Amino acid sequence: MAKRTEPYIPGEQVSRQDSIKLNTNENPYPPSPAVITAISKEMERGLQLYPSPTANELCQKIGQVYGLAPEEVFVGNGSDEVLAFSFMAFFEPGKKIRFPSVTYSFYPVYAKLFDIPFEEIPLHEDFSVPIKRFYQSEGGVILPNPNAPTSLYKELDQIEAIIQNNPDQVVIIDEAYIDFASGSAIELVAKYDNLLVIQTTSKSRSLAGLRVGFALGNKTLIDALVRIKDSFNSYTLDRLALVGAKAALEDQVYFKKTTEMIIKTRQKTSDMLTTLGFNILPSQANFLFVTHATVPAEMIYGQLKEAGIIVRHFNKPPIDNYLRITIGTDEQMGKLVEKLKEII
Amino acid sequence: MAKRTEPYIPGEQVSRQDSIKLNTNENPYPPSPAVITAISKEMERGLQLYPSPTANELCQKIGQVYGLAPEEVFVGNGSDEVLAFSFMAFFEPGKKIRFPSVTYSFYPVYAKLFDIPFEEIPLHEDFSVPIKRFYQSEGGVILPNPNAPTSLYKELDQIEAIIQNNPDQVVIIDEAYIDFASGSAIELVAKYDNLLVIQTTSKSRSLAGLRVGFALGNKTLIDALVRIKDSFNSYTLDRLALVGAKAALEDQVYFKKTTEMIIKTRQKTSDMLTTLGFNILPSQANFLFVTHATVPAEMIYGQLKEAGIIVRHFNKPPIDNYLRITIGTDEQMGKLVEKLKEII
């Protein structure tokens, strides 16, 4: 009776109170205090009333932060929903889209759900993305930058080359981790009408629990997303998520401070793991993608788990001997390194 | 480039502070105070962490309230999302589904979005649903009870007959307004594996602003919805919506009190409008569907709007001479009646 689908499997949730959760790339710091204030105030205004179906104030705020008009901004219930709507709006059955063979594992799930054929482009041996293989796609391109779970970032001129070489197709750059990297493709939005940039408040804005993602692009692309959304669910963001995300975007000082702390901890952790014999890919995300010279990843994963430290292991070649480790606080990473010293 | 869709158009949102909003069937009373407490507490627990992807605690609570197992409960981002997932899970291209010709106007929107053919069954002249016309459907049935915007309720034995006469198809009973009516089809869930009941916390639980809907049905149906959801968005409900809805469901005393107040106000308003020459359908919802003997609905709508009282007018035969009026507080309805006296 039901459609055949192969669901995405999110990172495991842990209930142990004392565990250190480094498996779903959450921010170790709470959101800006302004978020809590805004939500508390909104609760008094009445949860019995529907939210704004257009989310206009939030779109305006996001546009303001990134130098775009509100009409160039789309918001959704987490970047996962924005991605799902984008697959519905821009990719079609019969036309093959391309994404890397090692990437966010939700892409093939969406493609199967919406009957969109796809080509998984193998990465280079160093896990970098072979840019030219994304030129002249039949049905469009979706590419995370930085890529996950590899943590590798591609310079903007190479992203731009992909956009230029797919003039009649939509190129989606999924920038979930971009605030921990050197430069966003948002600056290309004004230049290319086939570019859609997707971001989220889940990582760098510490709002994984609130489910707010957004897309930036030419008004025509945004209109197409709005049409899909209005044919699916009039109100995808609740009142509290709308004001919470807006408050987070307003507090750029807090955002920059916490982002820089994570980048510093990333460098320190990387240095410490190197001395333990790990090979670490040059991360521009809020996680490290690591492999050890002698000890198998699966064994390390298991022993860390026993000790209450949860990291992510993908049991799938060619990354089955790698671990993805979220950057937590300095203290959490210190405990991780201590435990790894014991294991290795 | 983008798929052809015809979006649903929600009731207008008003920004005028002093206006009386009787156009989107919101509850005039705020949610239970326990909702605010629960959300405030959850905020302290950390919005930087993802919500539960399975929403297990909320499913358990809903199951408990309605005498079902958690495996017989599905939750989503408003009943609109639950409906969208249901169209994806249970209806298929090539097999005609049936719904009433006058009903929730989102159904044809979903059907077009997912390429599902449909047959709109004309209502009887008194706007009641012709039950037998829903027997032996090719692809399934979706029927709101009470129906909207007519406000009319069908007795359970007639709903059961539709379920019995579609043994190989899914029958969805959309019970957005059921708490203002005499009996829910939930009691039939244990008996029929082709029945899915969809409800929402937006109306009777005063949580339109929080976006939490749910479906109740046989485990096989719920599993199918979970598979679609997990192929679309891992976390459809944010942390605050999860705990807020749970708290609302726990406070049955408050729920019963406010629901009864609305039902009483409905009766009083209905009586007053009758004396003004309105014909009112026997409502079992939190709104009235009315027409006036001599004054055209569109004119009444316009004059009420000028006075800051917003009701809903659907400019579409055969209901273009009707107004849908949400039941507000006694005070709001008093002001409505005063204004109507002037107009008529």
Side-chain angles (χ1 to χ4, degrees):
Chain A
M1 206 171 260
K3 202 171 280 194
R4 293 179 75 86
T5 52
E6 287 180 37
Y8 170 77
I9 296 155
E12 59 200 310
Q13 299 294 315
V14 286
S15 46
R16 239 179 94 174
Q17 283 296 325
D18 61 341
S19 63
I20 299 177
K21 199 168 171 295
L22 305 175
N23 67 330
T24 50
N25 298 341
E26 287 144 333
N27 200 306
Y29 304 108
S32 155
V35 171
I36 313 298
T37 309
I39 292 175
S40 301
K41 218 170 127 192
E42 182 68 12
M43 279 199 288
E44 286 163 31
R45 291 182 56 192
L47 283 174
Q48 71 271 32
L49 301 178
Y50 280 103
S52 158
T54 57
N56 194 50
E57 283 184 35
L58 179 57
C59 289
Q60 210 150 9
K61 174 53 63 187
I62 293 171
Q64 194 186 317
V65 168
Y66 293 106
L68 295 169
E71 297 76 33
E72 295 168 309
V73 181
F74 176 80
V75 293
N77 182 27
S79 63
D80 282 348
E81 186 185 75
V82 179
L83 284 165
F85 287 158
S86 300
F87 270 70
M88 294 172 83
F90 307 121
F91 300 152
E92 15 178 338
K95 284 188 165 184
K96 239 183 228 176
I97 63 165
R98 291 187 198 156
F99 49 79
S101 61
V102 174
T103 194
Y104 186 32
S105 48
F106 224 131
Y107 300 156
V109 175
Y110 294 130
K112 281 171 197 162
L113 182 65
F114 299 118
D115 286 324
I116 294 156
F118 58 89
E119 208 176 332
E120 294 175 287
I121 308 295
L123 299 181
H124 289 307
E125 229 168 85
D126 64 357
F127 290 138
S128 68
V129 172
I131 291 298
K132 289 190 181 156
R133 296 280 314 267
F134 288 87
Y135 291 1
Q136 324 300 350
S137 78
E138 188 185 32
V141 166
I142 180 156
L143 183 70
N145 196 32
N147 194 14
T150 65
S151 78
L152 298 178
Y153 174 76
K154 272 287 172 198
E155 295 302 328
L156 272 195
D157 57 340
Q158 297 184 61
I159 298 293
E160 187 167 8
I162 294 178
I163 301 163
Q164 286 171 332
N165 284 285
N166 284 280
D168 300 323
Q169 304 304 331
V170 175
V171 174
I172 300 175
I173 306 299
D174 182 353
E175 294 192 337
Y177 301 102
I178 197 69
D179 294 322
F180 309 101
S182 35
S184 162
I186 291 175
E187 62 179 72
L188 303 175
V189 162
K191 221 167 138 187
Y192 299 99
D193 61 8
N194 63 327
L195 165 64
L196 190 80
V197 177
I198 296 181
Q199 292 199 5
T200 176
T201 63
S202 294
K203 317 292 181 185
S204 57
R205 309 274 175 179
S206 300
L207 288 181
L210 213 55
R211 318 303 307 124
V212 182
F214 54 94
L216 305 163
N218 182 279
K219 187 179 177 306
T220 313
L221 298 186
I222 298 303
D223 281 350
L225 284 173
V226 169
R227 266 200 313 280
I228 293 286
K229 175 247 168 202
D230 284 342
S231 301
F232 192 89
N233 190 353
S234 300
Y235 314 93
T236 53
L237 290 180
D238 66 58
R239 298 183 79 94
L240 307 182
L242 285 173
V243 299
K246 183 162 169 263
L249 277 146
E250 271 161 357
D251 195 347
Q252 291 289 94
V253 173
Y254 183 90
F255 160 69
K256 279 179 188 151
K257 190 182 81 181
T258 48
T259 307
E260 275 164 24
M261 281 161 77
I262 290 166
I263 291 173
K264 264 187 203 158
T265 306
R266 178 177 77 196
Q267 187 54 52
K268 273 194 270 185
T269 309
S270 181
D271 292 347
M272 290 189 287
L273 293 185
T274 305
T275 65
L276 292 182
F278 281 94
N279 178 38
I280 298 145
L281 272 68
S283 170
Q284 293 219 28
N286 70 336
F287 57 86
L288 296 175
F289 199 56
V290 310
T291 187
H292 194 268
T294 54
V295 190
E298 194 166 5
M299 184 190 286
I300 301 173
Y301 165 79
Q303 293 199 24
L304 284 175
K305 194 174 173 181
E306 266 175 46
I309 301 175
I310 320 295
V311 300
R312 186 123 194 217
H313 175 241
F314 300 87
N315 203 358
K316 179 187 154 190
I319 57 169
D320 47 342
N321 201 26
Y322 282 76
L323 296 173
R324 192 192 69 183
I325 304 173
T326 304
I327 301 299
T329 60
D330 279 341
E331 195 199 334
Q332 289 175 324
M333 301 323 274
K335 282 183 185 162
L336 167 79
V337 169
E338 283 316 303
K339 192 69 215 171
L340 284 172
K341 274 183 190 161
E342 284 175 36
I343 295 170
I344 284 152
Chain B
M1 203 172 264
K3 202 171 281 194
R4 292 178 75 88
T5 53
E6 286 180 38
Y8 170 79
I9 296 154
E12 58 200 312
Q13 298 295 315
V14 287
S15 45
R16 241 178 93 172
Q17 283 295 322
D18 60 342
S19 62
I20 299 179
K21 200 168 169 295
L22 306 174
N23 66 329
T24 49
N25 297 341
E26 287 145 332
N27 200 307
Y29 304 108
S32 156
V35 171
I36 313 298
T37 309
I39 292 176
S40 301
K41 218 171 125 193
E42 182 67 13
M43 279 200 288
E44 285 162 30
R45 291 181 56 191
L47 283 174
Q48 71 271 32
L49 301 178
Y50 280 103
S52 158
T54 58
N56 194 50
E57 284 184 36
L58 179 57
C59 290
Q60 208 148 10
K61 174 53 62 189
I62 294 170
Q64 195 186 315
V65 168
Y66 295 106
L68 295 169
E71 297 76 34
E72 295 169 306
V73 181
F74 176 79
V75 293
N77 182 28
S79 64
D80 281 348
E81 188 186 74
V82 178
L83 285 165
F85 288 157
S86 299
F87 270 69
M88 293 172 84
F90 306 122
F91 300 151
E92 16 178 337
K95 285 187 166 186
K96 240 183 225 176
I97 63 165
R98 292 187 198 154
F99 48 79
S101 62
V102 173
T103 194
Y104 186 32
S105 50
F106 223 131
Y107 301 157
V109 175
Y110 294 130
K112 282 171 197 162
L113 182 65
F114 298 119
D115 285 324
I116 295 156
F118 58 90
E119 209 177 333
E120 293 174 288
I121 308 295
L123 298 181
H124 288 309
E125 230 170 83
D126 64 357
F127 290 139
S128 69
V129 172
I131 290 297
K132 289 190 180 155
R133 297 279 315 267
F134 289 88
Y135 291 180
Q136 323 300 350
S137 78
E138 187 184 33
V141 166
I142 179 155
L143 183 70
N145 197 32
N147 193 14
T150 65
S151 78
L152 299 178
Y153 174 77
K154 272 288 171 198
E155 294 303 326
L156 271 195
D157 57 340
Q158 297 185 61
I159 297 293
E160 188 167 7
I162 294 179
I163 302 163
Q164 285 171 333
N165 284 285
N166 284 280
D168 300 324
Q169 304 303 331
V170 176
V171 174
I172 300 176
I173 307 297
D174 182 354
E175 294 192 335
Y177 301 102
I178 196 70
D179 295 321
F180 308 102
S182 39
S184 163
I186 292 176
E187 61 180 73
L188 303 175
V189 162
K191 221 167 138 187
Y192 299 100
D193 62 6
N194 63 328
L195 166 64
L196 191 79
V197 177
I198 295 181
Q199 292 199 4
T200 175
T201 63
S202 294
K203 318 290 183 188
S204 57
R205 310 273 175 181
S206 301
L207 288 181
L210 213 55
R211 318 303 306 121
V212 183
F214 53 95
L216 305 163
N218 183 278
K219 188 180 178 303
T220 312
L221 298 186
I222 300 304
D223 281 351
L225 284 173
V226 170
R227 265 201 311 281
I228 293 286
K229 176 248 168 202
D230 284 342
S231 300
F232 193 90
N233 190 353
S234 301
Y235 314 93
T236 54
L237 290 180
D238 67 57
R239 299 183 79 94
L240 307 182
L242 286 172
V243 299
K246 182 160 170 265
L249 277 145
E250 271 160 358
D251 195 347
Q252 291 291 95
V253 174
Y254 183 90
F255 160 69
K256 278 178 190 150
K257 192 183 79 181
T258 48
T259 306
E260 275 163 25
M261 282 162 78
I262 290 166
I263 291 173
K264 266 187 201 156
T265 306
R266 178 177 76 196
Q267 188 55 52
K268 273 194 271 183
T269 309
S270 181
D271 294 346
M272 289 190 286
L273 293 186
T274 304
T275 65
L276 291 182
F278 280 94
N279 177 39
I280 298 145
L281 272 68
S283 170
Q284 292 218 28
N286 70 337
F287 57 87
L288 296 175
F289 198 56
V290 310
T291 186
H292 193 268
T294 54
V295 190
E298 194 167 3
M299 185 191 285
I300 302 173
Y301 165 78
Q303 292 197 24
L304 284 175
K305 194 174 173 181
E306 264 176 45
I309 301 176
I310 320 293
V311 301
R312 188 126 191 212
H313 175 241
F314 299 88
N315 203 357
K316 178 187 155 189
I319 57 169
D320 46 343
N321 201 26
Y322 281 77
L323 295 173
R324 192 191 70 185
I325 304 174
T326 305
I327 302 299
T329 60
D330 279 340
E331 195 198 335
Q332 288 175 324
M333 301 323 273
K335 283 184 185 162
L336 168 78
V337 170
E338 283 316 303
K339 192 70 215 170
L340 284 173
K341 275 183 192 160
E342 285 175 36
I343 295 171
I344 283 152

